[in-house]
Amino acid sequence: MAAARRPALDSAGPLPENPGQARGSGGVMVAEGGRPQPGLGEILGVFARLGMASFGGGLSGWMHREVVRRRQWMTEEGFLAGIALGQVLPGPNSVNLALYIGQHLRGWQGAAAAFAGILGPPFLFILLLALLYAGAAGIAWLGPVLVGVAAAGLANSCTVGLRTARRLRGLGPWAVLVATFLAIGVLRLPMIPVVLVLAPVSVGLAWWAGRRDAA
């Protein structure tokens, strides 16, 4: 039976390079959610809209709603893994997350499309806003409007944090979360030393918990 099936498997072509891809019927590449793999133009358009809609911050929350909930391009676990990588790697978190998602969907071409979408149109729009703001800085109602938009972006970021916290299991992850909050949010310690100390602790706790569950 195994020998009879081998030609059918070989005829489907090589395995996909990215872990978020698989072959559906007819050899069509599909993403994690089981839908057809998005094209580069679709990735570019989605991230361009996300970049233009992320006023005040909270871009990770918009990405979650678009990539996981609406389009089902990634699983919840895969998206949260991207957030974790974006937080610990150098550079803006939202850009790191966009690169991760694009690479996960279409390799380096998808990463390039996501990068161009997340930075290109917003850069041009912000440049235009800067010119307009320079001529309208004295308008009284402009400040409260920007504060309100920033508050909405902060609330969107908090929703992603709450979703992540709901998936924490055991005392170890919660201890690392509280220690990080106290070190950075309360004591105002530099972020890099805190990450260098707590990241290995968190990885070690996760490794130990995995071995304990497998035992």
Side-chain angles (χ1 to χ4, degrees), residues 101-197:
I101 295 173
Q103 194 280 334
H104 198 77
L105 294 174
R106 291 294 299 267
W108 70 268
Q109 293 175 321
F115 180 81
I118 207 71
L119 289 183
F123 170 77
L124 297 177
F125 188 70
I126 291 173
L127 187 61
L128 176 62
L129 282 182
L131 296 176
L132 294 176
Y133 184 78
I139 299 179
W141 54 264
L142 188 59
V145 169
L146 296 178
V147 171
V149 172
L154 178 60
N156 203 16
S157 296
C158 290
T159 59
V160 178
L162 291 175
R163 291 193 189 99
T164 305
R166 286 205 305 265
R167 294 183 173 271
L168 296 179
R169 298 292 184 269
L171 295 178
W174 282 103
V176 173
L177 186 150
V178 172
T180 304
F181 174 77
L182 292 176
I184 297 177
V186 178
L187 300 178
R188 306 292 183 181
L189 298 178
M191 180 176 294
I192 293 179
V194 172
V195 171
L196 291 177
V197 172

Side-chain angles (χ1 to χ4, degrees), residues 19-186:
Q21 300 172 353
R23 287 191 181 276
S25 59
V28 177
M29 300 299 296
V30 295
E32 276 186 353
R35 296 187 176 185
Q37 184 188 32
L40 296 177
E42 188 177 4
I43 295 175
L44 176 64
V46 166
F47 279 94
R49 290 195 300 272
L50 287 172
M52 293 295 291
S54 62
F55 292 94
L59 187 53
S60 57
W62 290 105
M63 288 186 189
H64 179 273
R65 186 179 68 172
E66 190 73 23
V67 173
V68 178
R69 299 179 63 185
R70 290 187 59 187
R71 300 180 181 272
Q72 299 178 6
W73 286 349
M74 297 181 67
T75 63
E76 188 89 20
E77 290 76 12
F79 184 85
L80 294 179
I83 290 182
L85 287 175
Q87 293 284 345
V88 300
L89 293 177
N93 299 335
S94 58
V95 177
N96 292 340
L97 181 57
L99 288 170
Y100 170 85
I101 295 173
Q103 194 280 334
H104 198 77
L105 294 174
R106 291 294 299 267
W108 70 268
Q109 293 175 321
F115 180 81
I118 207 71
L119 289 183
F123 170 77
L124 297 177
F125 188 70
I126 291 173
L127 187 61
L128 176 62
L129 282 182
L131 296 176
L132 294 176
Y133 184 78
I139 299 179
W141 54 264
L142 188 59
V145 169
L146 296 178
V147 171
V149 172
L154 178 60
N156 203 16
S157 296
C158 290
T159 59
V160 178
L162 291 175
R163 291 193 189 99
T164 305
R166 286 205 305 265
R167 294 183 173 271
L168 296 179
R169 298 292 184 269
L171 295 178
W174 282 103
V176 173
L177 186 150
V178 172
T180 304
F181 174 77
L182 292 176
I184 297 177
V186 178

